[in-house]
Amino acid sequence: MMKLYGAPGCGSAIVEMMFVLAGEQYRWINVEGFDEPGPQRDALLELNPLGQVPTLKLDDGSILTETAAIALNLLDSHPELAPPAGSAERQRFHHLLIWLVANVYPTFTYGDYPDRWTQSGAEELRDSTNRYRQQLYLWLESQLGHGPYVFGDQISLLDTYLAAMISWRPRQAWFEQNTPKLYTVAQAVRAREEFHEILSRNEL
């Protein structure tokens, strides 16, 4: 069985929702505290030298990291969780998936731990990444149709990102007011019964 190393409230919750959506069995291993020196971080570093979650140990013992890589790996055996291969919508899926993790994710990397990146001006770095993230979400809002999911009536792996990320900064009230399409998609995913336990355990 695959082993998913994660921590409550982190991006590992997105991968958990992906696995549930795909009907894949996995074992969740809590490494809360991985971002500070200690046994949890030491254990994670043995698997992933970058010390990041999610870290996935596959059935064959190999290690896979990065949510987008895990999503694309899942699509090999669950192609129904994205628009049809070769379609324009599949191209949009790839574009938005990579755009999300390449643009939005780094704002948390730098904004959540500003002291790691600057000896002065940590608060300024946090504030600037928060503002930039809002601009990114406004752009993403402009790319969406009328739901209920990103690609219409069919849920995809991309939708699991929004279900978790609206609980992160700038928080749900901001999304509801400024990006109603993103908010609607996220709530449609969060309303699905199969995700309730994951969202509750991750305090999302």
Side-chain angles (χ1 to χ4, degrees):
M1 182 181 297
M2 294 183 292
K3 296 179 180 179
L4 176 63
Y5 295 80
C10 293
S12 52
I14 296 170
V15 176
E16 287 197 81
M17 285 188 281
M18 290 182 186
F19 285 160
V20 168
L21 198 59
E24 292 283 353
Q25 297 296 312
Y26 68 97
R27 177 185 171 197
W28 186 67
I29 299 176
N30 189 348
V31 290
E32 186 174 10
F34 71 94
D35 50 354
E36 298 291 342
Q40 296 287 68
R41 183 165 182 80
D42 292 342
L44 183 61
L45 287 172
E46 291 184 9
L47 300 170
N48 181 357
L50 294 178
Q52 298 172 340
V53 297
T55 291
L56 179 64
K57 188 172 185 179
L58 298 171
D59 293 336
D60 63 3
S62 61
I63 301 298
L64 186 60
T65 66
E66 311 301 333
T67 58
I70 294 170
L72 294 174
N73 186 67
L74 269 177
L75 284 182
D76 288 342
S77 52
H78 300 279
E80 72 281 2
L81 296 180
S87 68
E89 289 291 78
R90 176 61 77 94
Q91 292 179 6
R92 286 190 67 234
F93 173 90
H94 287 153
H95 173 213
L96 293 178
L97 175 67
I98 301 305
W99 176 88
L100 195 64
V101 298
N103 289 276
V104 178
Y105 258 46
T107 68
F108 291 108
T109 299
Y110 302 122
D112 285 354
Y113 306 100
D115 293 334
R116 293 182 181 178
W117 316 107
T118 178
Q119 299 301 311
S120 61
E123 193 64 32
E124 182 180 357
L125 177 57
R126 181 182 290 111
D127 290 344
S128 64
T129 55
N130 286 344
R131 290 192 301 271
Y132 182 54
R133 186 184 311 116
Q134 291 177 6
Q135 295 176 25
L136 294 172
Y137 282 135
L138 290 171
W139 178 86
L140 183 57
E141 173 80 0
S142 73
Q143 303 302 301
L144 299 192
H146 297 287
Y149 302 114
V150 172
F151 293 100
D153 293 332
Q154 183 64 40
I155 192 170
S156 74
L157 295 178
L158 189 63
D159 296 294
T160 61
Y161 282 86
L162 301 183
M165 294 174 83
I166 68 162
S167 291
W168 302 342
R169 293 191 307 275
R171 312 297 182 189
Q172 291 197 37
W174 183 92
F175 285 99
E176 185 175 15
Q177 180 176 353
N178 296 279
T179 57
K181 293 178 184 178
L182 293 179
Y183 182 80
T184 297
V185 170
Q187 294 302 335
V189 179
R190 293 167 67 88
R192 294 175 68 109
E193 185 175 357
E194 63 263 43
F195 298 139
H196 288 176
E197 188 276 333
I198 295 170
L199 293 168
S200 176
R201 172 163 44 81
N202 282 278
E203 300 180 355
L204 294 173

